[in-house]
Structure formats: C-alpha cells, structure tokens
C-alpha cells in the first residue's frame, strides 16, 4: 500500500521491460540467483587473496548487513511482489525449472516472506563499493560501480523485491 501511494508500482514497468526479451529475462534471473551467494563469495575470495588489507572490513560489513536483514525479516516479514499476481506481477524465475522458488532445497531453506530489506541489494552495494576501491583496472572499476544498480533493477524486474525493499 505504501508503494502504491508513494510512487506506484514501478516494478511492474521494469518487469514488463524485461519480459519483452528472453535474453533480458535470462540475465536478470541469473543476476538475482547469483548476486547473493556466488558473486559475494567470489568477491570475498578475491579480496582475501589479492587485497588482504581490505578483507576484514569487507567481511564484517557483509556479516553486519546480513544480521540486520535477519532482524528485519523477523520483525517485519513482508512478501515479495511475485506473491501478488493480482497486481500484475509474474514469478519470472518460475520460467526456469532449476531456478524455481518452489524447487526442493530452495523451498526447504527459503523464507517466502523475506523481502524486506533486500539483502541482494545491500550486498550488491557493499560488493560494488569495495571492489571499486580495491580493483586497479579502470574497466573493473566501472563494472563494479554499476553492479549495485544492475542488481537493484534485476531484483525488482524479477518480482522478488519492491523498490522499498531495495531502499531499506
């Protein structure tokens, strides 16, 4: 209700744009699934191995963000947009059998009401800031500078987070 009152459902526009191309659906879905654990894990490994002086602060920031997120999930459980098909949202990830929210292990360990705050968004911001700071190559710096915005777009375009979740 807050979303609709403040800004409308901008996520629907993002989702319609992405749905116009199977390529966009694929890369937005890939981003959603890999930004949280795969990219964060590889970024932590890279910083640990190559920029050791920045590792402890990076690790602690990721851990703190995730603990704060866990508190948010417990205190204010909120459903993601994909759970509101009556508002026009589609579960974009359900198009990929291996990425379906209802699949075995994911269904067992996932909390369907863990949308606020978006840890995908928080972790992407942390990874982006740290890797811009520690990478020496300017192309890598540019990629990591746009990474958070791409993840924010992807989590909304796949109907896994509202913009308010991203802001939180």
């Amino acid at each position: 209700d807050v979303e609709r009152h403040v800004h409308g459902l901008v996520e629907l526009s993002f989702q319609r744009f992405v749905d116009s191309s199977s390529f966009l659906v694929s890369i937005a879905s890939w981003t959603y699934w890999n930004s949280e654990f795969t990219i964060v894990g590889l970024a932590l490994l890279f910083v640990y191995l190559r920029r050791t002086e920045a590792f402890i602060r990076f690790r602690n920031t990721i851990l703190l963000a995730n603990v704060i997120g866990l508190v948010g999930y417990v205190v204010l459980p909120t459903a993601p947009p994909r759970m509101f098909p009556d508002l026009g949202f589609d579960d974009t990830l359900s198009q990929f059998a291996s990425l379906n929210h209802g699949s075995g292990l994911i269904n067992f360990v996932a909390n369907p009401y863990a949308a606020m705050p978006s840890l995908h968004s928080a972790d992407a911001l942390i990874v982006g800031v740290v890797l811009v700071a520690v990478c020496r190559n300017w192309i890598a710096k540019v990629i990591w500078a746009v990474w958070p915005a791409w993840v924010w777009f992807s989590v909304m375009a796949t109907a896994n987070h509202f913009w308010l979740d991203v802001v939180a």
Side-chain angles (χ1 to χ4, degrees):
D1 289 341
V2 170
E3 286 256 336
R4 282 189 281 190
H5 178 71
V6 173
H7 193 277
L9 295 172
V10 69
E11 304 84 0
L12 280 172
S13 300
F14 292 165
Q15 190 170 56
R16 297 299 168 255
F17 174 72
V18 166
D19 283 347
S20 69
S21 162
S22 61
F23 175 72
L24 287 175
V25 169
S26 294
I27 62 170
S29 298
W30 182 93
T31 300
Y32 173 76
W33 280 111
N34 288 290
S35 68
E36 185 61 19
F37 298 109
T38 308
I39 299 297
V40 170
L42 290 173
L44 282 163
L45 185 62
F46 172 80
V47 173
Y48 178 76
L49 294 173
R50 304 289 300 271
R51 306 290 184 264
T52 309
E53 70 283 355
F55 176 74
I56 293 172
R57 179 175 282 158
F58 180 29
R59 179 203 61 201
N60 291 349
T61 304
I62 290 284
L63 288 172
L64 179 61
N66 283 267
V67 167
I68 291 169
L70 179 62
V71 170
Y73 298 155
V74 171
V75 172
L76 183 67
T78 57
R82 71 175 182 277
M83 297 181 101
F84 299 100
D86 55 316
L87 296 177
F89 291 105
D90 298 323
D91 187 354
T92 304
L93 300 176
S94 67
Q95 298 175 29
F96 303 94
S98 63
L99 300 179
N100 191 338
H101 283 98
S103 65
L105 179 62
I106 292 169
N107 195 35
F108 178 72
V109 299
N111 177 355
Y113 300 105
M116 167 78 80
S118 168
L119 288 180
H120 286 82
S121 300
D123 289 348
L125 179 61
I126 295 164
V127 166
V129 167
V130 169
L131 289 181
V132 164
V134 301
C135 286
R136 295 184 180 132
N137 181 302
W138 70 270
I139 295 172
K141 286 181 178 288
V142 169
I143 291 169
W144 291 115
V146 299
W147 176 249
W150 170 248
V151 171
W152 301 339
F153 172 80
S154 295
V155 299
M156 289 185 283
T158 58
N160 284 286
H161 290 286
F162 289 105
W163 65 264
L164 203 52
D165 304 337
V166 172
V167 170

